[in-house]
């Protein structure tokens, strides 16, 4: 049995029994736990973030590919590694020659984290292969064309299960030392309802949780020395807290009975959290929002054979994950709703389109049968009125799918009362970055047969550790109260935008009148630019000057960014040529700052001070020697920091 104590916020482990005929090596699990926790201290989304944490996470994730190849004894010159869910791996290898790949499963090493690592020859990854589409799979898109990413990223739809992959890679290294099945065990502890802040709710619970913010005390290098990192990239992915980490690490090795109990418990937690009673809704666990929407698209495809032509309605502000999957359905037409100046869908146009297609039938046999909309724009931060959209969808016999990736950790949502038919969600957007998400769908809309449905369930449920972490995060958000979170974020967002408006050269996109009643619908996501400054340079300066991590670029919302920047069709096509032939070229976009529950007034003020310093220098109004500033090269210090963190994780 596993015995636990807390010492200085770190879990200490001792194992006093064994599983089956194999001794469970305490040293092995101790190494695994220490390494994964070290990775979590600098967790961020990979590949596109500007801050120290994103750079470390990217390096760890990419190093994990090499660890897989080393374990299999395969050369990196001929092979790449695709990390996937069980279902995704099956789709990929079904299109490859048998002698062209090797597939490793986390389950084979006794880990309940749902990782498949497919080492496949580069030459086997053909352009015409089927793959799930969505966030990360495209380099650039327009309403009419797509420039796909290069392998392996093309085959890793959505935010990768970064922490699960690192866990798996570390397990591979340990397996060489201790043996393959070293992590088979059962501990039987209360994963979801333990480690809570007994008796605390509201701001008391929020304060206690902030005290358990993982990585808060870590020092990072900046131009002025060392300081704590400020994560302002929460719209991409959230860091985590000790209770969520405990739920993950304590459930990576449970037996089948305990796994089933965890999954059913989280299913009940999610049903209550999202207002989706289990007698009416099915909950299918996934790896992320992208996979959830791909499953919804596949389910939709099964209903197409009828005399009416299927139309899906979304908006120009959608994340690529809620655009590309609908394009992949033959016989389905996608139309996009315009947005107002604040970024919200035009409700009048929404109703007019539903009436024209479904009541007046002015488009012949074409019918809008699904409206797929985001709950909040990941660029402009506006909350959409789901209640109104749901009522209109119901009136015109249209199913409503909501991309709730940006919503679930910020505002209360009740699917049943709002008339929402389907909802997609990721745990990594709610402080549980362990590769679990979900699709909640009305049971009467499921078109999969029993065998297909069970296959989908099993694929997602193999990551029971990630599901446990996601369930724990939802419980903690409930314990604090989403109304409290809303109030806290609203105050900070007001301070943030009011301060940014005072800085010369700063342009803010979306609603910015903090005195307006409409500002109540403004979330803690702010897209902006500094005039005469590329967004990636701005993000880099914020990192090096202030230790602040934000995001820059198109934010997987290319259609919206082009709309905001008024890019004409000619230049859109020119961008396509540039990206195709010069894939490393940085294209125009916007910077984005986004707050989470770990952020405080101090974080906002430090950001504003650093941004003002950068903006004033850019416009020649700052003090000091600019030429001297340019000579400060942070690359050696950054590389040293990254290397030190890699050693902390992988040794």
């Amino acid at each position: 049995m596993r015995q636990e104590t807390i010492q200085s916020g770190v879990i200490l482990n001792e194992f006093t029994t064994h599983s089956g005929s194999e001794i469970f090596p305490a040293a092995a699990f101790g190494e695994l736990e220490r390494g994964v926790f070290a990775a979590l201290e600098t967790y961020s989304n990979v590949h596109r973030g500007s801050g120290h944490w994103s750079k470390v996470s990217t390096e760890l994730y990419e190093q994990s590919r090499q660890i897989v190849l080393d374990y299999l004894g395969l050369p990196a010159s001929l092979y790449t590694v695709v990390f996937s869910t069980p279902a995704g791996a099956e789709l990929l290898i079904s299109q490859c020659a048998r002698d062209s790949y090797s597939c490793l499963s986390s389950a084979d090493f006794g880990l309940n984290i749902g990782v498949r690592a497919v080492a496949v020859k580069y030459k086997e990854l053909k352009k015409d292969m089927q793959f799930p589409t969505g966030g990360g799979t495209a380099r650039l898109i327009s309403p009419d064309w797509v420039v796909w990413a290069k392998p392996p990223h093309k085959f890793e739809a959505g935010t990768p299960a970064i922490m699960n992959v690192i866990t798996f890679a570390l397990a591979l290294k340990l397996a060489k030392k201790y043996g393959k099945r070293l992590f088979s065990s059962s501990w039987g502890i209360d994963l979801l309802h333990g480690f809570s802040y007994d008796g605390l709710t509201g701001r008391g619970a929020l304060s206690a949780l902030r005290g358990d913010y993982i990585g808060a005390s870590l020092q990072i290098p900046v131009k002025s020395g060392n300081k704590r990192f400020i994560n302002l990239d929460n719209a991409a992915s959230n860091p985590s807290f000790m209770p969520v980490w405990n739920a993950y690490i304590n459930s990576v090795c449970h037996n089948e009975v305990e796994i089933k109990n965890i999954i059913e418990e989280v299913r009940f937690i999610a049903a209550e959290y999202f207002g989706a009673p289990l007698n009416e809704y099915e909950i299918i666990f996934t790896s992320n929002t992208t996979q959830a929407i791909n499953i919804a698209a596949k389910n939709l495809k099964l209903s197409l054979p009828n005399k009416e032509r299927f139309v899906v309605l979304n908006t120009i502000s959608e994340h690529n994950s809620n655009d590309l999957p609908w394009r992949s359905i033959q016989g389905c037409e996608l139309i996009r709703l315009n947005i107002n100046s604040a970024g919200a869908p035009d409700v009048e146009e929404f109703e007019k389109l539903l009436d024209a297609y479904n009541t007046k039938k002015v488009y012949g046999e074409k019918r809008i049968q699904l409206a797929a909309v985001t709950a909040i724009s990941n660029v402009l931060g506006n909350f959409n009125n789901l209640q109104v959209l749901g009522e209109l969808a119901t009136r015109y016999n249209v199913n409503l799918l909501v991309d709730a990736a940006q919503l679930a950790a910020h505002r209360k949502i009740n699917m049943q009362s709002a008339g929402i038919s389907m909802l997609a969600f990721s745990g990594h957007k709610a402080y549980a970055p362990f590769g679990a998400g979900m699709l909640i769908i009305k049971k009467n809309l499921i078109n999969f047969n029993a065998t297909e449905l069970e296959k989908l369930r099993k694929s997602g449920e193999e990551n029971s550790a990630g599901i446990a972490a996601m369930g724990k995060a939802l419980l903690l958000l409930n314990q604090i109260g989403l109304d409290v979170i809303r109030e806290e974020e609203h105050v900070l967002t007001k301070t943030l935008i009011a301060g940014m408006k005072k800085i010369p050269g700063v342009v803010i996109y979306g609603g910015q009148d903090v005195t307006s009643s409409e500002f109540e619908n403004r979330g803690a996501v702010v897209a902006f630019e500094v005039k005469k400054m590329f967004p990636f340079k701005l993000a880099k300066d914020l990192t090096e000057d202030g230790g602040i991590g934000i995001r820059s670029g198109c934010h997987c919302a290319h259609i919206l960014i082009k709309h905001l920047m008024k890019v004409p069709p000619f230049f859109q096509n020119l961008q396509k040529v540039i990206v195709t032939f010069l894939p490393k070229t940085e294209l125009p976009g916007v910077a984005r700052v986004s707050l989470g529950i770990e952020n405080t007034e101090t974080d906002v003020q430090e950001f504003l001070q650093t941004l003002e310093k950068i903006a004033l220098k850019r416009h020649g109004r700052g003090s000091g020697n600019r030429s001297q500033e340019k000579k400060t090269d942070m690359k050696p210090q950054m590389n040293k920091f990254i290397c030190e963190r890699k050693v902390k994780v992988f040794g």
Side-chain angles (χ1 to χ4, degrees):
M1 170 176 189
R2 188 176 191 218
Q3 300 172 342
E4 305 183 54
T5 56
I6 302 290
Q7 183 176 352
S8 301
V10 179
I11 301 294
L12 305 178
N13 311 295
E14 294 180 1
F15 300 92
T16 57
T17 65
H18 62 85
S19 174
S21 60
E22 293 181 89
I23 298 297
F24 194 103
F29 197 88
E31 288 183 51
L32 181 79
E33 185 174 25
R34 283 190 294 273
V36 178
F37 185 82
L40 191 59
E41 286 182 307
T42 55
Y43 169 79
S44 181
N45 207 340
V46 297
H47 302 133
R48 291 175 292 276
S50 65
H52 297 65
W53 288 10
S54 182
K55 293 182 184 299
V56 172
S57 292
T58 299
E59 287 288 330
L60 292 172
Y61 185 70
E62 294 303 321
Q63 186 177 351
S64 297
R65 298 192 205 274
Q66 186 60 51
I67 290 172
V68 171
L69 292 177
D70 291 345
Y71 183 87
L72 293 170
L74 298 173
S77 59
L78 298 178
Y79 287 82
T80 187
V81 175
V82 175
F83 291 115
S84 181
T85 62
E90 183 178 341
L91 174 63
L92 176 60
I93 65 180
S94 70
Q95 302 173 81
C96 298
R98 182 63 193 91
D99 62 351
S100 68
Y101 69 88
S102 293
C103 184
L104 293 175
S105 166
S106 55
D108 292 339
F109 295 80
L111 297 172
N112 305 319
I113 58 176
V115 173
R116 293 289 186 277
V118 182
V120 58
K121 290 181 178 178
Y122 278 105
K123 67 179 183 180
E124 194 70 16
L125 299 175
K126 308 291 195 304
K127 287 185 177 181
D128 60 349
M129 292 178 76
Q130 295 180 45
F131 59 96
T133 63
T137 63
R139 179 74 174 86
L140 187 67
I141 77 169
S142 81
D144 306 312
W145 49 257
V146 180
V147 177
W148 297 109
K150 300 294 183 183
H153 309 300
K154 178 180 177 180
F155 298 95
E156 295 176 338
T159 297
I162 303 159
M163 292 305 305
N164 301 48
V165 165
I166 293 169
T167 303
F168 181 53
L170 190 52
L172 291 183
K173 290 177 72 72
L174 293 170
K176 289 184 176 181
K177 182 177 180 181
Y178 295 103
K180 188 173 179 181
R181 291 289 297 184
L182 73 166
F183 298 121
S184 300
S185 187
S186 173
W187 303 318
I189 56 178
D190 186 354
L191 302 170
L192 298 176
H193 300 283
F195 300 105
S196 294
Y197 307 104
D198 292 339
L200 292 177
T201 58
R203 285 179 173 80
L206 176 58
S207 178
L209 190 64
R210 281 174 173 164
D212 278 338
Y213 172 36
I214 296 172
S217 61
L218 201 65
Q219 294 289 297
I220 58 166
V222 296
K223 287 180 179 178
S224 60
N226 291 318
K227 70 180 295 291
R228 70 183 181 92
F229 181 71
I230 299 175
N231 177 53
L232 297 180
D233 191 19
N234 284 278
S237 200
N238 302 130
S240 198
F241 301 89
M242 284 301 297
V244 181
W245 156 250
N246 290 332
Y248 175 74
I249 198 63
N250 284 309
S251 57
V252 294
C253 304
H254 272 311
N255 63 32
E256 289 184 10
V257 174
E258 291 163 333
I259 288 171
K260 183 178 180 181
N261 291 338
I262 289 170
I263 290 167
E264 288 310 304
E265 179 67 14
V266 176
R267 191 170 268 119
F268 279 110
I269 290 168
E272 181 178 355
Y273 190 91
F274 291 106
L278 292 175
N279 64 328
E280 185 179 345
Y281 291 88
E282 177 76 28
I283 296 179
I284 301 171
F285 290 109
T286 66
S287 60
N288 51 37
T289 304
T290 298
Q291 189 193 21
I293 296 176
N294 271 284
I295 291 173
K298 188 176 180 181
N299 182 69
L300 171 65
K301 188 175 180 179
L302 295 173
S303 69
L304 285 183
N306 56 48
K307 66 178 181 179
E308 295 177 343
R309 294 183 60 190
F310 211 109
V311 178
V312 172
L313 172 64
N314 70 5
T315 77
I316 66 169
S317 63
E318 301 303 319
H319 190 281
N320 292 349
S321 293
N322 197 26
D323 185 283
L324 293 175
W326 310 115
R327 299 198 206 187
S328 66
I329 304 174
Q330 280 192 328
C332 174
E333 182 179 334
L334 177 63
I335 57 176
R336 299 178 182 88
L337 197 66
N338 290 321
I339 57 174
N340 61 25
S341 58
D346 187 325
V347 175
E348 288 187 9
E349 186 185 354
F350 184 76
E351 183 172 11
K352 285 179 181 178
L353 285 169
L354 298 184
D355 184 49
Y357 275 89
N358 292 11
T359 303
K360 296 177 180 175
K361 301 179 180 178
V362 298
Y363 296 98
E365 294 181 345
K366 293 181 181 181
R367 301 287 179 271
I368 297 174
Q369 296 185 40
L370 178 70
V373 300
T374 184
I376 169 176
S377 167
N378 73 318
V379 175
L380 297 174
N382 61 288
F383 288 94
N384 295 330
N385 193 328
L386 299 179
Q387 193 71 40
V388 170
L389 296 178
E391 289 171 1
L392 289 171
T394 301
R395 185 186 308 169
Y396 289 95
N397 196 30
V398 172
N399 293 311
L400 178 64
L401 179 145
V402 172
D403 172 358
Q406 298 291 340
L407 175 74
H410 304 275
R411 299 282 178 98
K412 189 68 179 172
I413 184 170
N414 188 299
M415 291 182 66
Q416 188 179 47
S417 65
I420 298 170
S421 307
M422 288 169 268
L423 179 141
F425 163 68
S426 286
H428 78 93
K429 302 281 192 184
Y431 312 98
F434 299 102
M438 65 182 74
L439 172 67
I440 307 178
I441 179 172
K442 281 189 174 181
K443 291 183 175 180
N444 64 349
L445 296 179
I446 295 175
N447 298 312
F448 297 109
N449 62 40
T451 302
E452 292 170 324
L453 185 58
E454 185 59 22
K455 199 172 182 181
L456 287 171
R457 285 176 178 151
K458 283 186 176 180
S459 178
E461 291 172 8
E462 190 174 302
N463 181 20
S464 57
I467 291 170
M470 180 168 59
K472 183 61 181 179
L474 295 180
L475 286 174
L476 289 168
L477 291 170
N478 253 344
Q479 188 171 345
I480 296 167
L482 288 168
D483 286 344
V484 170
I485 292 171
R486 175 179 179 170
E487 291 168 7
E488 287 277 315
E489 289 183 347
H490 189 63
V491 170
L492 289 180
T493 305
K494 270 190 171 182
T495 302
L496 176 67
I497 291 180
M500 291 174 71
K501 289 173 70 175
K502 296 176 182 177
I503 300 174
V506 171
V507 176
I508 299 171
Y509 293 94
Q512 50 191 283
D513 183 357
V514 297
T515 64
S516 167
S517 59
E518 292 182 357
F519 198 79
E520 292 296 322
N521 293 321
R522 186 70 151 86
V525 178
V526 182
F528 69 102
E529 65 175 332
V530 172
K531 291 179 180 178
K532 302 179 183 179
M533 194 171 189
F534 284 112
F536 64 87
K537 177 65 168 63
L538 172 58
K540 181 174 181 286
D541 286 357
L542 283 165
T543 293
E544 295 183 352
D545 289 357
I548 298 166
I550 67 163
R551 187 144 302 224
S552 65
C554 292
H555 312 286
C556 289
H558 299 91
I559 295 174
L560 174 59
I561 295 297
K562 291 172 183 176
H563 169 78
L564 294 175
M565 303 189 75
K566 298 180 173 58
V567 180
F570 170 78
F571 284 106
Q572 291 190 33
N573 290 326
L574 180 60
Q575 287 179 344
K576 179 183 179 182
V577 174
I578 292 171
V579 168
T580 301
F581 293 100
L582 299 169
K584 293 186 178 180
T585 303
E586 293 282 357
L587 293 175
V590 297
R592 183 189 68 191
V593 56
S594 48
L595 308 176
I597 59 175
E598 82 278 11
N599 294 128
T600 63
E601 171 84 13
T602 301
D603 295 339
V604 171
Q605 293 300 337
E606 284 196 40
F607 167 76
L608 291 173
Q609 290 167 13
T610 307
L611 179 63
E612 182 175 29
K613 176 184 173 185
I614 293 168
L616 290 176
K617 284 180 180 176
R618 171 57 55 177
H619 292 274
R621 295 166 64 178
S623 60
N625 189 330
R626 287 187 64 191
S627 62
Q628 186 65 35
E629 288 267 348
K630 288 181 181 178
K631 293 178 182 178
T632 305
D633 184 6
M634 286 297 298
K635 192 172 182 179
Q637 294 180 61
M638 181 71 81
N639 288 341
K640 181 183 176 184
F641 177 76
I642 292 170
C643 288
E644 288 173 348
R645 297 310 302 178
K646 286 166 70 175
V647 171
K648 277 268 189 184
V649 175
F650 290 128

